[in-house]
Amino acid sequence: MFTYLRAWVRFLEEVLLRRPLQPDEFIFPRVGTNGVVYPIDELSYDAVMKMLTWICTEAALTSRYTSHCFRRGGARYRFMFAPLGERWSLATIRWWGAWAEGESVSTSVHSTSCSITHLGQVDTLIRYLLDELTRYEKNHRDALCPIPREAERSFNGDHILTAPVTAAETRDVLRPSAGLSVWQS
């Protein structure tokens, strides 16, 4: 991500502006119809959507895409997959993704008889993260992994990462076949 951002800033400064970007100027400025860059004017939502639609059309993508992923990028990673000590609280994720307090969606349950039960309004952020966590906990794709994550036993399987080292694990690490000579007599 940062590689492309740095490349864009370099292009903006060297090619489009022909000068360094000032602290009060936008990294993604408005570009006029005549190609003139206005670094003190922000790029509008409509302009972003127009570009996104053009890119998708040129790539022969038939689905409709929106800027949703730009707003909430990284929330799932920071909630579930970031290393211990680097995970974010729900409050931090709400701030990062600019989720309004009480932002919600209607939720319904479909039964096998095709009847629909309306559950009312559910907080969008909570639903998104809990749905993702449920998918993670019910996924068994790594069932043969030598170190099981046992996601259903603790939040996100964190008990595996914080468990003390066992005597057997220590022996395995210090075994002569590992290239260490601590067991020599």
Side-chain angles (χ1 to χ4, degrees):
M1 167 69 181
F2 293 115
T3 301
Y4 298 113
L5 182 60
R6 283 193 296 266
W8 165 251
V9 170
R10 189 169 41 254
F11 177 78
L12 178 63
E13 291 177 330
E14 294 174 6
V15 177
L16 298 178
L17 297 176
R18 296 191 186 111
R19 63 170 176 77
L21 197 60
Q22 301 301 310
D24 61 338
E25 294 177 330
F26 290 98
I27 293 175
F28 299 103
R30 179 175 69 90
V31 179
T33 54
N34 56 359
V36 174
V37 177
Y38 298 94
I40 59 169
D41 295 341
E42 66 183 9
L43 189 60
S44 71
Y45 172 81
D46 291 338
V48 170
M49 288 308 302
K50 185 177 178 181
M51 280 189 278
L52 187 58
T53 301
W54 176 80
I55 290 168
C56 292
T57 301
E58 291 299 309
L61 300 173
T62 56
S63 297
R64 182 178 176 269
Y65 291 89
T66 68
S67 62
H68 176 84
C69 61
F70 302 126
R71 178 178 167 206
R72 289 165 168 78
R76 182 175 58 142
Y77 169 78
R78 285 293 178 181
F79 181 68
M80 294 178 54
F81 301 112
L84 284 176
E86 294 180 25
R87 293 187 183 149
W88 288 352
S89 67
L90 286 175
T92 304
I93 291 172
R94 185 179 300 280
W95 168 81
W96 176 258
W99 268 287
E101 192 71 40
E103 183 176 333
S104 59
V105 293
S106 294
T107 302
S108 301
V109 174
H110 300 273
S111 70
T112 54
S113 63
C114 295
S115 64
I116 298 175
T117 305
H118 183 69
L119 297 179
Q121 298 295 311
V122 177
D123 188 293
T124 304
L125 172 63
I126 302 300
R127 180 173 179 206
Y128 168 75
L129 293 174
L130 289 178
D131 284 352
E132 191 61 35
L133 185 60
T134 300
R135 276 193 294 277
Y136 175 76
E137 289 179 347
K138 291 185 177 202
N139 184 326
H140 302 289
R141 69 175 170 249
D142 63 349
L144 299 176
C145 181
I147 303 172
R149 59 187 168 92
E150 298 173 338
E152 69 285 345
R153 190 166 151 207
S154 66
F155 177 72
N156 220 13
D158 286 349
H159 69 284
I160 296 292
L161 299 173
T162 58
V165 178
T166 66
E169 290 169 333
T170 304
R171 275 194 301 275
D172 287 344
V173 169
L174 299 176
R175 188 172 293 156
S177 64
L180 302 173
S181 57
V182 294
W183 297 113
Q184 294 176 351
S185 48

